[in-house]
Amino acid sequence: MKKLLFALSAIFFSTQMFAVSLEDFSLSVEPLFGMKWGQIDEYVFLKESNFSDDKLSELNWEIKPELYGGIKVQGGWKGFFEESFFTAGIPMRSGLMFDSDWQNIQYTAANGGNTLQTNYSESENYLDYDFSFGFKGGYEFKVSEIVKIRPAIAFEYQNIKFTAKNGSGWYGNTAGTSGYHDYGPWYGYSDTENRTLFDFSGQIVIEYQRVSDFLWLGSDFSVDLPRCFIVTTGFFLAPYVYAVSFDAHNLKNYDYADRTAGYFAAFKWNLGAEYKITDRHSILLAANYFYMRVLRGDDYQKTSQSSSYTLVSSCDGGAGAKWFDLTLSYRFKILKN
């Protein structure tokens, strides 16, 4: 009889302990929809420029706009928390792609010692895909009954691809000749008497893909307001960024690749509001800003038929980005502490 009572007592206390521990956990799912506006920038720099400016080429890929969907999952135990997310862009027309070159920086006496934009083109930009996922973990501190601080460390992966189609190009002719790019230096693209015009109608001009990894450090902050509203903000800085870019120049039959990295090279900020419909159901609206300064690194090239790249010793590759987005989401709390 004593053994039976002991066993029943053990079962009772273990279930009580489990019930208490379960109350310390939180879990929620949050489907979301967003719109993004901004730009991805691609560069080539000449290592030994004859001018103070060493930018040889710049391509600007507009995000104008991008629609995307995704999901966020948040879990916590007492003060500790973890968030994971996944988003995917919808393939669509996305503004324009601008391609500019300053070929004359390769020649000391070019244009009287001044830089000159020799080439310029515009093409229709199309988003092929934009995937991102990441996770964030940290601890929540309650400063007061209404103010909370959530310092965290995070990781984020981004993979985006564009295709530029159609459009037109204005390329300066080689100085002293009537041909296009026989040898330098060249005239400027805006010189109507010494330039060659190209029509890219019906053609794929360039394809561009960038894969990026970010390590983030920062904190989120929240303030509980009357009438079931919560205001949030957050600031994160990337101690390390690594980006690899692939550029296929279809009309030239050449492919390029850039491998770039940087320290404290990216920043992001968010501002949002949450309305609690009930204890388990919320509607959220957030604004987000992302900025990555220009990273420089190794530049590689190959013919489109080749399977391997070779290092371009005379040039550096470059990668930059900035965008703003708005997200609307619905949060359902499966477990709440």
Side-chain angles (χ1 to χ4, degrees), residues 218-232:
S219 183
D220 291 307
F221 307 85
S222 65
V223 179
D224 293 345
L225 300 179
R227 300 183 182 275
C228 301
F229 281 98
I230 300 173
V231 175
T232 61

Side-chain angles (χ1 to χ4, degrees), residues 107-138:
Y107 302 92
T108 305
N111 199 40
N114 298 313
T115 57
L116 179 68
Q117 185 174 344
T118 56
N119 303 344
Y120 177 70
S121 67
E122 294 182 3
S123 301
E124 297 172 357
N125 189 28
Y126 292 85
L127 176 71
D128 295 314
Y129 55 76
D130 183 8
F131 299 105
S132 64
F133 68 84
F135 53 85
K136 175 170 61 177

Side-chain angles (χ1 to χ4, degrees), residues 54-73:
D54 61 355
K55 183 169 60 176
L56 184 63
S57 178
E58 177 179 349
L59 290 85
N60 310 117
W61 301 82
E62 287 189 323
I63 302 172
K64 197 177 180 181
E66 174 189 333
L67 305 180
Y68 65 89
I71 191 167
K72 184 186 295 183
V73 178

Side-chain angles (χ1 to χ4, degrees), residues 81-126:
F81 68 89
E82 192 277 335
E83 299 178 2
S84 300
F85 75 91
F86 171 81
T87 62
I90 299 173
M92 60 186 295
R93 172 74 186 273
S94 184
L96 298 172
M97 187 281 289
F98 308 99
D99 185 358
S100 302
D101 294 320
W102 290 262
Q103 296 285 356
N104 274 15
I105 69 170
Q106 301 173 85
Y107 302 92
T108 305
N111 199 40
N114 298 313
T115 57
L116 179 68
Q117 185 174 344
T118 56
N119 303 344
Y120 177 70
S121 67
E122 294 182 3
S123 301
E124 297 172 357
N125 189 28
Y126 292 85

